[in-house]
Amino acid sequence: MKLNKLIIQNFRNVEKIEIPCGHGVHFVFGENGQGKTALLEAIYLLSNLKSFRENDHGAMVRMGERLSQVKGEFLIDSTTRADLKVEISLEPRLQKRAYINGKLSKSAADYFGLKLNHSPIQFHAITLNPTSTDLIRGEPSLRRNYLNQSIASESPVHLSLLRKYQKFLDQKNALLKQEGSFELELLQILNDNLAQLGAQIVWDRLKYLSKITAPIDQFLSQIAPGQKKTRIAYFTKIFKGNYQPQPVYFTGQFEQPTLNFLIELYHSQFQIFSNLERIRRMALVGPHRDDFLMKIQSPGTPLELDLVDIGSQGEVRSFLLALKLAELESFQSQ
């Protein structure tokens, strides 16, 4: 499979352009403000239905226009072609529509499922740009989103899990915000669903991190042979009776916890944390609060510290490149 032609219309500062794509590595060059980044962003949009720059979809529509289109034509083999298309419209409201071979997808999960599993397209875009270091240096939400997207690119079912989990999480938060008493039975039902879905999400994350650990080590040894080994640790907070957070690390260096273990873990934490959740009026336990950290050995000591705290710019960028290459290898192995 390869991207055979890219057609962009009213996207960012690009009015209309058709770019034929051949074999091999492609370099895009030109003066500032000519649309080089927009071209890469358009390809990324076709793959991930989002930008790598910002969450404002309306900003991708060319100023003064009401509809933006990005279309990719793919040459599967000498006789088979396919296409992906994403439209962003501003009227009558901001709306994004995605098509596979001219057929409108009902949801992002439907688009990813067809694109990856039920068609020969098998298209996935991975970016590495100057802001990518935010993945290591930025907020935990960036790393959670990265895990969610990476896993969903290989298994669209994971995207459905995330949507269901968010639905029950929103319902629980709304219930906790109610004034006065509320139905404890309803809270229990919500917690049961959150435990089941949350455990599956965490299990998927741990499985994915375990899968890419060895490739990261391999690529890092090739990119920076002298750099110390960087270990990935999945971080969650387990609260004791005094509500003090205790970090728990699942690193993939030992047997992955079972799904039942994670479900029971959440049930116990919901019970321990129930009073504080009512006081703060929000859900405080679940994969929506987790993180994964990069650990590196501190110079001259046996201690492992966060890469973001003691790593140089070169070490951070080397690890990031190894991570992206491992992500690519993982996708290609599907």
Side-chain angles (χ1 to χ4, degrees):
M1 186 284 299
K2 72 180 184 71
L3 180 60
N4 192 54
K5 182 187 291 186
L6 181 67
I7 303 170
I8 303 173
Q9 186 170 1
N10 296 329
F11 185 83
R12 294 293 186 183
N13 61 336
V14 178
E15 181 177 3
K16 186 173 182 180
I17 189 172
E18 293 189 13
I19 302 175
C21 306
H23 293 284
V25 177
H26 291 63
F27 293 90
V28 181
F29 62 93
E31 300 292 335
N32 291 339
Q34 299 302 302
K36 300 185 299 296
T37 303
L39 188 154
L40 300 179
E41 186 181 16
I43 296 173
Y44 192 83
L45 178 68
L46 280 178
S47 172
N48 299 293
L49 296 183
K50 58 190 287 188
S51 169
F52 55 73
R53 290 207 270 187
E54 58 197 22
N55 293 323
D56 183 6
H57 291 140
M60 288 186 274
V61 180
R62 187 168 179 263
M63 187 175 296
E65 301 294 339
R66 289 295 177 231
L67 178 67
S68 175
Q69 292 183 334
V70 176
K71 182 178 179 180
E73 295 182 357
F74 298 86
L75 183 63
I76 309 304
D77 55 40
S78 59
T79 60
T80 307
R81 297 177 181 270
D83 65 75
L84 301 175
K85 184 173 73 170
V86 177
E87 294 181 341
I88 300 174
S89 61
L90 300 181
E91 292 180 351
R93 66 184 188 282
L94 179 60
Q95 190 175 17
K96 178 174 59 181
R97 295 180 293 270
Y99 302 82
I100 295 181
N101 294 331
K103 183 178 179 180
L104 177 65
S105 298
K106 298 177 182 178
S107 65
D110 179 50
Y111 181 81
F112 290 141
L114 288 171
K115 178 170 69 79
L116 296 169
N117 294 335
H118 303 295
S119 76
I121 298 177
Q122 296 286 311
F123 174 58
H124 179 51
I126 297 172
T127 63
L128 183 64
N129 57 67
T131 64
S132 294
T133 54
D134 291 346
L135 177 63
I136 296 176
R137 301 188 181 279
E139 296 296 319
S141 61
L142 295 175
R143 289 181 287 279
R144 288 194 296 268
N145 289 338
Y146 171 77
L147 271 184
N148 293 340
Q149 181 176 316
S150 298
I151 298 169
S153 71
E154 299 181 4
S155 173
V157 174
H158 189 74
L159 188 60
S160 298
L161 278 174
L162 294 169
R163 291 184 181 278
K164 291 177 182 177
Y165 179 84
Q166 188 62 50
K167 177 182 176 181
F168 286 114
L169 180 64
D170 291 342
Q171 291 176 349
K172 179 177 179 178
N173 282 329
L175 184 64
L176 291 171
K177 286 180 171 61
Q178 288 184 9
E179 297 290 343
S181 60
F182 52 77
E183 298 181 31
L184 293 177
E185 183 178 350
L186 176 56
L187 180 61
Q188 183 60 50
I189 293 173
L190 293 173
N191 280 339
D192 287 343
N193 282 282
L194 289 171
Q196 294 282 341
L197 295 167
Q200 183 64 62
I201 290 169
V202 171
W203 194 88
D204 286 350
R205 289 175 178 176
L206 296 176
K207 181 181 178 182
Y208 179 79
L209 290 175
S210 297
K211 179 181 178 182
I212 64 173
T213 295
I216 288 175
D217 291 343
Q218 179 183 355
F219 286 122
L220 191 58
S221 66
Q222 297 171 359
I223 296 167
Q227 184 167 325
K228 290 184 174 64
K229 183 177 179 181
T230 303
R231 184 170 65 93
I232 296 180
Y234 188 84
F235 177 82
T236 188
K237 292 181 178 179
I238 304 301
F239 293 86
K240 307 300 182 183
N242 59 1
Y243 301 127
Q244 293 300 313
Q246 305 292 325
V248 175
Y249 296 92
F250 302 108
T251 65
Q253 297 177 357
F254 51 84
E255 185 178 356
Q256 181 171 328
T258 66
L259 193 58
N260 285 337
F261 172 83
L262 294 171
I263 292 172
E264 292 303 317
L265 181 63
Y266 276 130
H267 278 305
S268 66
Q269 294 309 299
F270 289 149
Q271 186 175 4
I272 292 172
F273 229 38
S274 60
N275 289 335
L276 193 57
E277 285 189 329
R278 293 183 195 180
I279 293 172
R280 296 191 181 179
R281 297 187 175 186
M282 64 184 300
L284 299 173
V285 178
H288 63 286
R289 300 181 69 85
D290 289 355
D291 196 1
F292 75 94
L293 307 176
M294 285 61 71
K295 296 287 187 176
I296 190 171
Q297 186 175 345
S298 178
T301 76
L303 298 177
E304 284 186 334
L305 300 177
D306 292 347
L307 177 63
V308 67
D309 293 330
I310 67 169
S312 66
Q313 283 283 357
E315 288 174 323
V316 169
R317 292 182 182 278
S318 294
F319 175 80
L320 187 61
L321 178 56
L323 175 65
K324 293 290 187 176
L325 289 171
E327 178 189 351
L328 177 61
E329 182 176 276
S330 177
F331 177 80
Q332 290 177 331
S333 68
Q334 296 302 301

